[in-house]
Amino acid sequence: MASYAANDMRVGWVISHNGRRYSVTSITKVKPGKGGAFVQADLRDIDTGNKGGDRWRSEDKVEKLMVEDIECQYLYSDGTDAFFMNLSDYEQFTMAVDSLGDQMKFLAPEMLVKANFVEGQPVSISLPKTVTAIVEETEPALKGQTATASGGKPAILDNGVRVQVPVFIEQGEKIVVNTETMEYVERAK
């Protein structure tokens, strides 16, 4: 086990917390106007499948378990399980869709991911840092609006994810989205 600041925690990590092993399914970093910053994480117990969450101050330590990262390819989902193939030996394995949380929205057939194994059991995946998606729905830009307008506008992507995009992004455009923060990065090239 290795100790890290809670602020360094990432989706897909497997941590030891209160004597149990959990995979981190989502993270929210909060800096309130009053008081210290904290990290709120949604957790899934890798032994029982139970979901929960906890909160740490930014400077608190979390124990990251040593996991074996294996390069895999996402194949498909049947609604209950997601199917993956280990690229080193071509063995297939499954993970429960609900254990993957919001990561499921970004998975596309043939996408390469890292599967995290603890004691020979797949417990989580690590997505690529960014993915390309198509803007399925957004408001048209108004005449006179500039790219420097603050805040942007809401958009719904082809995978169902909602993001804020700059006002110059139109419906049907391909954009790059950060899978950890679910934020717009740039137009796809």
Side-chain angles (χ1 to χ4, degrees):
M1 282 192 285
S3 230
Y4 292 89
N7 207 37
D8 295 334
M9 193 171 10
R10 300 280 179 257
V11 171
W13 276 22
V14 178
I15 63 170
S16 177
H17 181 59
N18 295 335
R20 311 261 333 150
R21 301 179 308 170
Y22 295 95
S23 90
V24 179
T25 56
S26 77
I27 293 176
T28 307
K29 295 180 181 180
V30 181
K31 175 117 176 67
K34 194 174 189 179
F38 62 89
V39 176
Q40 175 76 37
D42 290 334
L43 307 170
R44 185 183 63 82
D45 188 313
I46 64 172
D47 297 317
T48 65
N50 294 338
K51 296 179 186 173
D54 213 336
R55 178 182 293 190
W56 292 265
R57 293 179 317 198
S58 295
E59 63 275 4
D60 286 347
K61 296 290 183 190
V62 292
E63 297 294 323
K64 181 181 177 192
L65 294 175
M66 292 299 129
V67 298
E68 183 181 4
D69 291 337
I70 296 176
E71 189 77 26
C72 296
Q73 182 180 45
Y74 171 68
L75 301 173
Y76 66 94
S77 169
D78 66 3
T80 306
D81 291 318
F83 293 79
F84 298 88
M85 179 175 59
N86 181 335
L87 293 178
S88 62
D89 62 9
Y90 303 106
E91 288 290 319
Q92 291 187 19
F93 62 93
T94 62
M95 292 181 68
V97 166
D98 60 343
S99 73
L100 298 172
D102 288 340
Q103 292 179 311
M104 226 14 240
K105 294 177 182 177
F106 289 106
L107 285 174
E110 299 183 15
M111 178 183 278
L112 298 180
V113 298
K114 290 232 188 280
N116 306 308
F117 283 75
V118 173
E119 297 171 0
Q121 174 189 8
V123 295
S124 65
I125 61 168
S126 298
L127 292 171
K129 180 100 171 136
T130 60
V131 296
T132 302
I134 298 171
V135 176
E136 215 168 69
E137 199 177 303
T138 191
E139 303 165 2
L142 300 174
K143 186 172 183 172
Q145 261 185 331
T146 64
T148 59
S150 63
K153 61 184 180 178
I156 300 173
L157 306 178
D158 58 344
N159 55 14
V161 174
R162 293 177 180 271
V163 296
Q164 286 291 113
V165 297
V167 294
F168 57 83
I169 297 295
E170 298 293 332
Q171 187 171 329
E173 282 192 64
K174 286 186 175 183
I175 63 170
V176 177
V177 179
N178 182 315
T179 57
E180 290 179 0
T181 62
M182 294 198 186
E183 294 175 345
Y184 167 87
V185 176
E186 64 184 359
R187 279 183 169 148
K189 294 174 174 65

